């Protein structure tokens, strides 16, 4: 599902510098991240003139911060697919248990306070039994419940390893493009914008760890004495961070939309009647109810934001890609299944290709104004899949050859920019 808001007024093509493009990637947990990767891979293949590793600026929230940080570090969508989907990358080895290690240290810390809390409770019961309601039991012993089920220190370590090899950087200040990662301070509810002047000294891996600390799943991350959690708690996509930079085109990806069971069955099949549809999510228990609630809140908030951005930034082209409301497989899938990651990524790839093809007439002038064209040979190939674009795995690299290849790619980019600048100067 594509939301398109063309700019009301642009400069004449001959008078414009090369388009400044910003990419905003929302959060969505492990499966949301795989959906975003599939959508990004589709854009990479279907749009000629768009280099997702060479944009003006990026902003990422939660799982979207993983991908934004990778792209800003010149990691291609193909390489990230090899790391997270096919598992045949010679760069990094991804293991799901990296994200599923129990937070044993926090469990022990919380349990250590049990004797003291129990003693205080019994003392209060003996001295003031009538003034102590039983509901106070929850308040007193609530601190024993861990703030997160899983330990996210391995997540940070995994990212730090990737961003400190092969010419990449774990420092916001060393990147060629502007990268922003958003978290929220737990004690105040205020956003923290990593990558901004006051927060750009924090390692990228640490910033992503904080932005992805979804309450209940992972514990808050302490940075500068502040406890930080998932950036999506404040806003869904934080696109305004890029719009305020005066970009020409905003590309956004949001993987979380509420599931409409009336449009398809629980596995994305044929429509069902309203009564049956209303029962399906309830039968999924509390996780399904919470997921649907969370998705509804995030998407409604984002839609309000997009409508406001269209009025507030009328001269910026804006396009946001989302799943279809009837994609039941996306809603019900196992978040940590290897096979599910591949299916969800393929689903996102196909949805995005279909959106580009069905809206091609509207998109062509918007894309052309930003130096991009649709690759019809990709859009019109119904037999093509996500994996087809990954054929021809590059030769295995050492640290030295990877750095050399990166330097050659950078040289090609510089030459291309200079050619474009000369062409633009002649046009004036």
């Amino acid at each position: 599902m594509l939301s398109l808001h063309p700019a009301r007024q642009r400069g004449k093509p001959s008078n414009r510098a090369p388009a400044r493009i910003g990419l905003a990637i929302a959060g969505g947990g492990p499966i949301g991240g795989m959906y975003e990767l599939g959508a990004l891979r589709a854009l990479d293949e279907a749009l000629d003139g768009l280099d997702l590793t060479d944009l003006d600026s990026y902003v990422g929230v939660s799982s979207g911060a993983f991908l934004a940080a990778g792209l800003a570090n010149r990691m291609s969508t193909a390489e990230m697919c090899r790391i997270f989907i096919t598992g045949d990358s010679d760069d990094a080895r991804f293991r799901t248990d990296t994200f599923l290690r129990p937070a044993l240290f926090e469990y022990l810390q919380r349990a250590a306070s049990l004797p003291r809390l129990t003693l205080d409770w019994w003392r209060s019961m003996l001295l003031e039994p009538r003034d102590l309601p039983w509901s106070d039991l929850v308040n007193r012993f609530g601190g024993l419940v861990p703030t997160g089920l899983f330990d996210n220190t391995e997540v940070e370590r995994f990212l730090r390893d990737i961003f400190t090899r092969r010419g990449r950087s774990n420092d916001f200040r060393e990147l060629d493009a502007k990268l922003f990662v958003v978290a929220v301070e737990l004690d105040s509810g205020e956003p923290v914008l990593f990558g901004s002047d006051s927060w750009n000294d924090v390692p990228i891996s640490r910033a992503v760890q904080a932005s992805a600390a979804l309450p209940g799943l992972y514990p808050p991350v302490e940075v500068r004495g502040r406890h930080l959690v998932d950036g999506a708690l404040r806003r869904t996509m934080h696109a305004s961070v890029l719009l305020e930079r005066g970009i020409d085109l905003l590309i956004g990806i949001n993987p979380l939309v509420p599931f409409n069971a009336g449009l398809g069955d629980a596995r994305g099949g044929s429509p069902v009647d309203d009564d049956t549809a209303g029962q399906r999510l309830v039968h999924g228990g509390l996780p399904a109810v919470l997921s649907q609630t969370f998705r509804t809140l995030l998407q409604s908030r984002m839609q309000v934001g997009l409508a406001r951005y269209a009025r507030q930034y009328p001269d910026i082209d804006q396009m946001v890609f989302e799943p279809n409301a009837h994609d039941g497989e996306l809603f019900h899938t196992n978040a940590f299944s290897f096979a599910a990651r591949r299916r969800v990524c393929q689903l996102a790839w196909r949805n995005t290709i279909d959106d580009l093809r069905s809206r091609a007439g509207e998109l062509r002038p918007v894309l052309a104004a930003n130096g991009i064209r649709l690759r019809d040979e990709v859009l019109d190939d119904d037999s093509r899949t996500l994996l087809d674009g990954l054929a021809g795995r590059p030769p295995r690299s050492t640290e030295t050859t990877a750095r050399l290849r990166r330097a050659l790619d950078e040289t090609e980019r510089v030459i291309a920019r200079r050619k474009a600048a000369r062409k633009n100067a002649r046009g004036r």
Side-chain angles (χ1 to χ4, degrees):
M1 183 171 61
L2 169 62
S3 297
L4 178 64
H5 298 279
R8 298 178 191 173
Q9 184 177 358
R10 306 184 189 92
K12 294 182 180 180
S14 60
N15 296 328
R16 291 184 62 188
R20 299 177 62 197
I21 302 173
L23 177 64
I25 315 179
I31 286 299
M34 293 305 98
Y35 188 93
E36 291 165 332
L37 179 55
L40 288 168
R41 184 62 191 153
L43 295 176
D44 213 358
E45 292 190 86
L47 299 182
D48 184 27
L50 176 69
D51 184 350
L52 290 174
T53 67
D54 192 25
L55 303 183
D56 172 80
S57 46
Y58 306 80
V59 62
V61 183
S62 192
S63 59
F66 282 78
L67 303 176
L71 292 170
N73 256 297
R74 300 289 175 82
M75 294 181 68
S76 69
T77 57
E79 180 58 31
M80 285 194 280
C81 281
R82 291 189 176 97
I83 292 174
F84 293 109
I85 304 302
T86 62
D88 61 352
S89 171
D90 69 343
D91 186 356
R93 183 172 179 81
F94 171 72
R95 298 171 58 92
T96 55
D97 59 6
T98 298
F99 295 78
L100 291 172
R101 299 191 178 207
L104 295 178
F105 181 69
E106 183 171 2
Y107 296 167
L108 294 175
Q109 275 189 316
R110 301 279 172 173
S113 62
L114 177 59
R116 177 181 56 80
L117 291 174
T118 304
L119 181 61
D120 290 344
W121 167 257
W122 280 110
R123 183 183 293 114
S124 299
M125 284 289 292
L126 293 173
L127 297 178
E128 300 174 312
R130 296 183 179 180
D131 297 331
L132 191 66
W134 282 100
S135 60
D136 188 59
L137 183 66
V138 176
N139 294 330
R140 286 176 178 264
F141 289 92
L144 294 174
V145 181
T147 56
L149 295 175
F150 304 113
D151 185 2
N152 50 10
T153 57
E154 285 298 318
V155 175
E156 190 276 334
R157 188 175 292 114
F158 172 78
L159 293 172
R160 186 181 353 125
D161 174 63
I162 290 179
F163 294 152
T164 52
R165 291 188 289 103
R166 301 197 171 190
R168 296 184 284 260
S169 175
N170 200 28
D171 191 326
F172 285 96
R173 297 164 295 188
E174 294 181 356
L175 299 176
D176 294 327
K178 288 296 293 184
L179 169 66
F180 301 99
V181 172
V182 186
V184 170
E185 185 179 1
L186 183 63
D187 293 324
S188 67
E190 293 299 316
V192 170
L193 187 62
F194 293 106
S196 63
D197 290 341
S198 56
W199 286 93
N200 60 8
D201 60 323
V202 177
I204 295 173
S205 57
R206 186 70 166 170
V208 175
Q209 178 194 14
S211 180
L214 180 64
L217 191 64
Y218 295 112
V221 176
E222 186 174 354
V223 180
R224 296 183 186 172
R226 305 185 186 188
H227 292 93
L228 307 178
V229 294
D230 196 312
L233 299 184
R234 183 76 181 191
R235 291 181 186 174
T236 304
M237 201 163 56
H238 291 269
S240 60
V241 173
L242 305 184
L243 294 169
E244 291 169 358
R245 290 177 52 83
I247 58 175
D248 301 299
L249 169 64
L250 170 73
I251 300 174
I253 302 179
N254 170 43
L256 291 182
V257 299
F259 173 51
N260 189 337
L263 296 178
D265 65 17
R267 292 291 178 262
S270 58
V272 293
D273 62 79
D274 291 339
D275 290 336
T276 304
Q279 294 176 356
R280 289 186 183 274
L281 296 186
V282 171
H283 289 165
L286 182 61
V289 173
L290 290 178
S291 176
Q292 181 76 335
T293 303
F294 189 59
R295 289 164 177 267
T296 302
L297 290 173
L298 288 182
Q299 197 207 29
S300 62
R301 186 173 60 182
M302 194 192 73
Q303 289 174 336
V304 171
L306 289 177
R308 184 176 69 253
Y309 295 155
R311 297 190 302 270
Q312 190 174 354
Y313 305 96
D315 299 332
I316 300 177
D317 293 306
Q318 302 174 42
M319 43 195 279
V320 177
F321 295 87
E322 295 180 305
N324 298 317
H326 62 272
D327 285 335
E329 182 175 7
L330 182 62
F331 184 87
H332 292 280
T333 195
N334 178 354
F336 296 100
S337 164
F338 176 82
R341 292 203 308 270
R342 181 175 294 190
R343 289 198 306 271
V344 167
C345 206
Q346 169 62 32
L347 174 66
W349 187 92
R350 174 48 58 191
N351 282 350
T352 306
I353 292 293
D354 289 345
D355 283 339
L356 293 172
R357 180 170 51 198
S358 63
R359 305 284 294 276
E362 302 169 77
L363 283 170
R364 288 187 198 279
V366 174
L367 295 173
N370 293 281
I372 304 170
R373 74 169 184 89
L374 292 169
R375 290 191 177 106
D376 292 322
E377 64 275 17
V378 174
L379 300 183
D380 296 337
D381 187 355
D382 291 332
S383 63
R384 187 180 179 89
T385 69
L386 168 78
L387 297 181
D388 291 333
L390 300 178
R393 179 182 173 188
R396 295 186 66 84
S397 299
T398 64
E399 181 72 18
T400 301
T401 58
R403 286 178 177 272
L404 177 60
R405 186 180 299 122
R406 184 184 181 92
L408 293 173
D409 289 342
E410 180 58 31
T411 302
E412 290 181 359
R413 285 191 174 95
V414 171
I415 294 173
R417 290 194 194 104
R418 290 180 176 176
K419 287 182 178 179
R422 287 198 295 267
K423 182 179 180 181
N424 189 58
R426 287 195 300 269
R428 291 195 182 100

